[in-house]
Amino acid sequence: MNFLQEYRGRGPRTVEGVERIVRANFKHGRRCASARREQAAFTRFVRACRATIRKVHGTEKKQSQDS
């Protein structure tokens, strides 16, 4: 075996190295916590709007009587 086959990276050793790795791996903000909260709030808003529209038009979903 040569050196490259035996070498195992141990990760960044300094705070600056860790920050550099974090920045390098951050590709977009769609999965960050604030984006997920914003998406969840928007989804709740859209569902509430749809429920209101169904209520106004008299087409509310009926609860199933099976359970």
Side-chain angles (χ1 to χ4, degrees):
M1 280 191 179
N2 64 26
F3 173 75
L4 291 177
Q5 290 172 329
E6 293 176 5
Y7 176 74
R8 298 208 176 201
R10 290 179 246 148
R13 298 178 185 200
T14 63
V15 174
E16 293 82 13
V18 172
E19 291 171 357
R20 188 174 61 242
I21 297 294
V22 168
R23 281 192 308 272
N25 288 321
F26 186 78
K27 296 181 182 178
H28 53 71
R30 289 181 291 199
R31 294 182 186 217
C32 64
S34 61
R36 287 194 307 264
R37 283 192 302 271
E38 186 177 325
Q39 180 63 35
F42 181 74
T43 300
R44 285 191 302 272
F45 171 73
V46 169
R47 287 179 179 166
C49 289
R50 287 179 179 166
T52 302
I53 290 170
R54 283 192 300 269
K55 193 174 193 178
V56 167
H57 289 292
T59 57
E60 288 187 67
K61 289 186 177 180
K62 305 260 191 293
Q63 293 291 332
S64 70
Q65 305 255 336
D66 297 334
S67 19

